[in-house]
Amino acid sequence: MKITVLGATGSIGLSTLDVVARHPDRYEVFALTAFSRIDELRALCLIHRPCYAVVAEEASARCLQQDLQQAGLDTRVLVGEGGLCEVAAHPEVDAVMAAIVGAAGLRPTLAAVKADKRVLLANKEALVMSGALFMQALRESDALLLPIDSEHNAIFQCLPPDYGRGLAAVGVRRVLLTASGGPFREMAVDQLRDVSPEQACAHPNWSMGRKISVDSASMMNKGLELIEACWLFDARPEQVEVVIHPQSVIHSMVDYIDGSVLAQLGNPDMRTPIAHALAWPERIHSDVSPLDLLRIGRLDFQAPDEQRFPCLRLARLAAQACGTAPAMLNAANEVAVDAFLSGRIRFTEIASIIDDVLGREASVPAACLEDVLAADAQARVLAGQWLSRYGQ
């Protein structure tokens, strides 16, 4: 199986390459992409020797092409969104790991779907922004969509194979989406305004990039996952319940009408869902340590506090509004998180920006991809206006 890894230098991309490297008889790296970590991409190319590499800028592409040629590699370096779409839809590719963070991953992920690939979806924004269009493209293709987020992969494992008939038809009452609660789960609410980016990025259980770490700290990540779960499993927002589970051992659960609750458990290591999706419907070794429940000893659960985590409430409202609201939510969050990481706003102002954008721009139906991208662009303009008024 030949694999394209979109976002190869991120945590998901590196975990994917780790699993792939353990099974050289099954998998071959066809293409690797990166946005700004060119040195890391160069090192990965030297190890995995892909046919293609993709970077964001022409100057970086020229330097990388020269370096790889000098190292004796035949890797061809492409540039920009066009390059991403080309390696995602290439006729020789069997599977695409969609792990680009944010809205930038939308078009190449759609390209992979339309080219009938096995799509390993780690880029939740593709569904958050354009869920109806994305699922329509999936229905019109022969692509296979497999979720990589540990929560959605857990739900997928706990549902019957025919869940596509509808949750009610297969006896599902609700989906329980677990969340660690992040680094601020127990911090006093009045202290949140003064937390630093370093504190927000210090996740207690998972090793992730800075943007997704901040999303986890604000629980926007869980809000985006709620929207994604609605599209993946044809669920209404009220059928998806978020439960804080600090140990991150139960990755999610499915509650059936007969009283059964099925859960998927495992150590917090993304190589488990990656290996599951790569080999599905088979199972392969991932080198993840076996779960030791006796050592863990206890599993705790609590309801999320929306005063502490207003982003979760905003995401649920966007899910209920549907249309372009989730795209605006996502775009405003991307701008706000970037501003927080660069020291322009306080942590608590992330939610303020998102709330302001959603309140100033009404959601409208998204009839085509251009509608989604226009809503994304407008939300970024509005978030920028908030920063001009109130940011540092």
Side-chain angles (χ1 to χ4, degrees), residues 17-344:
L17 294 172
D18 182 86
V19 174
V20 165
R22 297 177 190 280
H23 301 275
D25 56 324
R26 296 181 62 120
Y27 305 113
E28 176 185 343
V29 175
F30 181 81
L32 299 174
T33 85
F35 179 69
S36 59
R37 299 175 182 171
I38 307 304
D39 290 340
E40 290 92 331
L41 181 61
R42 181 185 298 108
L44 291 175
C45 288
L46 294 175
I47 295 170
H48 297 282
R49 308 181 74 86
C51 295
Y52 290 90
V54 185
V55 297
E57 298 178 350
E58 284 282 357
S60 298
R62 288 193 296 270
C63 292
L64 180 60
Q65 186 72 80
Q66 183 178 17
D67 290 347
L68 296 180
Q69 286 177 345
Q70 290 177 349
L73 270 66
D74 294 328
T75 302
R76 181 183 170 196
V77 182
L78 304 179
V79 182
E81 187 177 79
L84 293 174
C85 292
E86 180 176 341
V87 299
H90 197 284
E92 292 185 42
V93 171
D94 302 297
V96 176
M97 169 56 77
I100 295 175
V101 175
L106 175 57
R107 284 193 186 273
T109 305
L110 271 173
V113 168
K114 293 177 179 179
D116 303 329
K117 307 303 182 185
R118 174 184 288 237
V119 179
L120 283 58
L121 186 66
N123 171 263
K124 60 178 64 64
E125 289 84 0
L127 274 177
V128 169
M129 292 178 64
S130 61
L133 298 172
F134 191 98
M135 297 308 290
Q136 181 63 33
L138 185 66
R139 287 190 292 270
E140 294 172 352
S141 75
D142 291 322
L144 174 64
L145 184 66
L146 295 165
I148 295 300
D149 272 348
S150 61
E151 296 82 0
H152 302 100
N153 183 267
I155 295 164
F156 178 80
Q157 294 193 50
C158 293
L159 286 171
D162 61 342
Y163 73 88
R165 295 192 293 124
L167 296 185
V170 295
V172 172
R173 178 169 25 224
R174 58 180 177 159
V175 166
L176 298 169
L177 199 64
T178 59
S180 70
F184 306 141
R185 177 174 55 87
E186 296 182 343
M187 180 177 286
V189 174
D190 60 3
Q191 294 179 4
L192 290 175
R193 68 188 303 272
D194 295 321
V195 300
S196 68
E198 289 69 30
Q199 288 175 290
C201 291
H203 196 282
N205 299 336
W206 297 93
S207 175
M208 305 179 292
R210 286 170 66 79
K211 193 269 182 183
I212 193 172
S213 294
V214 175
D215 282 350
S216 180
S218 71
M219 283 197 74
M220 175 55 84
N221 193 47
K222 206 55 49 179
L224 298 177
E225 288 174 6
L226 184 154
I227 297 171
E228 184 182 6
C230 290
W231 290 114
L232 281 172
F233 308 115
D234 195 20
R236 301 186 306 276
E238 60 269 22
Q239 289 179 294
V240 183
E241 182 176 338
V242 175
V243 178
I244 290 183
H245 167 51
Q247 291 88 358
S248 295
V249 169
I250 295 178
H251 297 296
S252 275
M253 297 170 275
V254 175
D255 177 20
Y256 287 85
I257 58 175
D258 63 2
S260 299
V261 177
L262 300 188
Q264 188 265 337
L265 286 72
N267 283 316
D269 191 318
M270 286 305 299
R271 291 178 297 176
T272 295
I274 289 168
H276 174 264
L278 276 173
W280 187 87
E282 301 176 46
R283 299 273 181 171
I284 59 172
H285 184 63
S286 66
D287 202 43
V288 175
S289 301
L291 183 64
D292 186 347
L293 286 172
L294 296 179
R295 182 184 60 81
I296 294 167
R298 57 182 286 176
L299 301 174
D300 298 304
F301 307 94
Q302 64 188 72
D305 177 0
E306 290 192 352
Q307 183 182 1
R308 180 187 304 275
F309 301 118
C311 286
L312 183 58
R313 175 183 57 82
L314 294 170
R316 189 175 288 279
L317 290 174
Q320 293 166 344
C322 207
T324 55
M328 292 188 292
L329 172 96
N330 178 74
N333 180 63
E334 287 189 14
V335 173
V337 169
D338 182 70
F340 169 67
L341 286 171
S342 62
R344 297 180 64 192

